[in-house]
Amino acid sequence: MTPQFWLWLGFAGMSVGAALILFIGKSRTRAEETDTIIHGLVPIIAACSYLAMATGQGSIALPAGPDAGTATRAFYFARYIDWSFTTPLLLLGLANTAMHSGMRRPAIVWGMIGSDLIMIVTAFVFGLSQVTWLKWTWFAISCGAFLAVYYGIFVQLRQENARERDDIRATFLRNAVFLSVVWLAYPVVLLFGDDGLGLLGPALGLGIIAVLDLTAKVVYGLMATVQTAKRVDRDIAQGIGASPARPHLAAAE
């Protein structure tokens, strides 16, 4: 498999995934409409990133290493732009699940998003760096910010989620574990890929990240959208938060 194969596969998979999420997503309540938009936007943004990388507009050539002579490597900067938008959206969606009855502590969400952006920006600088000690300093800072995101998910969000009913607590924990396990593989791939130690090779590194991206953005998005519909079904059955997202349409009906 060539690098181009994985990039075009990422574009096609994200495009189809976005269409599926927006097709099955509902908007019976404001919360459900918000979740549908969030999980639909994520693969749309990623599809644009993969299109840019596949056509050569989302990468630049950098020296393969300090002692590589004229050898170069492709640095895919578009993926960092993608992650800067999509991972905050995924965290926002996860927070909406955790605090299903209302966004009680937005500061938690802003803290996670801030840590997430620090993680991505420092990983971007890590990929650009040619000086060895600076490169690995940025990688260490990025990993530290990553741990702060995990703290926000599994300590702060989970504390708020404990106030919700049983099915919402189970859904949040399942989503948090799924997303966190997938995300955990990213720094490992960056470490061993072309931006780090260069042990994976261009095609394998791109292939792994493409599979991870499709899992985190499409598979997770479909799963979260279906679970949101089930929660809203129960809300409506119990008369909880049943105000429609588009009340003028409800009135017309």
Side-chain angles (χ1 to χ4, degrees), residues 63-102:
D67 302 317
T70 59
T72 61
R73 63 183 171 92
F75 177 66
Y76 294 95
F77 64 85
R79 67 167 54 137
Y80 296 93
I81 298 174
D82 165 357
W83 295 341
S84 295
F85 288 96
T86 57
T87 53
L89 285 171
L90 289 170
L91 286 171
L92 180 59
L94 191 60
N96 283 336
T97 300
M99 294 181 275
H100 182 67
S101 60

Side-chain angles (χ1 to χ4, degrees), residues 94 175 213:
L94 191 60
N175 287 5
D213 277 347

Side-chain angles (χ1 to χ4, degrees), residues 2-227:
T2 65
Q4 288 299 108
F5 169 83
W6 291 112
L7 294 174
W8 284 113
L9 178 67
F11 169 69
M14 294 299 177
S15 301
V16 172
L20 286 173
I21 290 169
L22 292 174
F23 178 75
I24 69 172
K26 301 176 182 179
S27 56
R28 293 168 295 175
T29 68
R30 290 180 176 86
E32 188 176 40
E33 186 174 50
T34 299
D35 274 2
T36 297
I37 291 171
I38 286 173
H39 292 296
L41 275 176
V42 165
I44 290 174
I45 294 168
C48 293
S49 168
Y50 272 94
L51 178 61
M53 291 188 289
T55 56
Q57 295 180 313
S59 64
I60 57 174
L62 292 178
D67 302 317
T70 59
T72 61
R73 63 183 171 92
F75 177 66
Y76 294 95
F77 64 85
R79 67 167 54 137
Y80 296 93
I81 298 174
D82 165 357
W83 295 341
S84 295
F85 288 96
T86 57
T87 53
L89 285 171
L90 289 170
L91 286 171
L92 180 59
L94 191 60
N96 283 336
T97 300
M99 294 181 275
H100 182 67
S101 60
M103 188 63 70
R104 296 178 292 274
R105 294 179 64 191
I108 292 176
V109 183
W110 285 114
M112 289 193 304
I113 290 175
S115 299
D116 177 62
L117 291 175
I118 292 170
M119 174 187 71
I120 293 166
V121 170
T122 52
F124 172 77
V125 180
F126 154 76
L128 282 175
S129 297
Q130 300 300 315
V131 179
T132 302
W133 74 268
L134 275 175
K135 186 179 191 70
W136 296 109
T137 298
W138 287 119
F139 184 78
I141 294 171
S142 182
C143 290
F146 193 27
L147 293 176
V149 174
Y150 273 30
Y151 177 83
I153 294 173
F154 289 103
V155 177
Q156 295 175 311
L157 276 188
R158 199 169 182 192
Q159 287 173 349
E160 292 302 311
N161 181 243
R163 301 167 59 179
E164 304 289 343
R165 65 178 189 248
D166 290 348
D167 63 317
I168 296 172
R169 292 201 300 271
T171 297
F172 167 72
L173 184 59
R174 181 167 54 247
N175 287 5
V177 170
F178 183 96
L179 200 56
S180 297
V181 168
V182 175
W183 278 355
L184 191 61
Y186 281 90
V188 177
V189 178
L190 292 180
L191 172 64
F192 292 104
D194 282 358
D195 291 351
L197 298 173
L199 301 179
L200 294 179
L204 180 57
L206 283 173
I208 295 173
I209 288 185
V211 171
L212 291 174
D213 277 347
L214 289 168
T215 304
K217 297 175 172 69
V218 174
V219 176
Y220 175 79
L222 289 167
M223 180 181 77
T225 301
V226 170
Q227 290 171 348

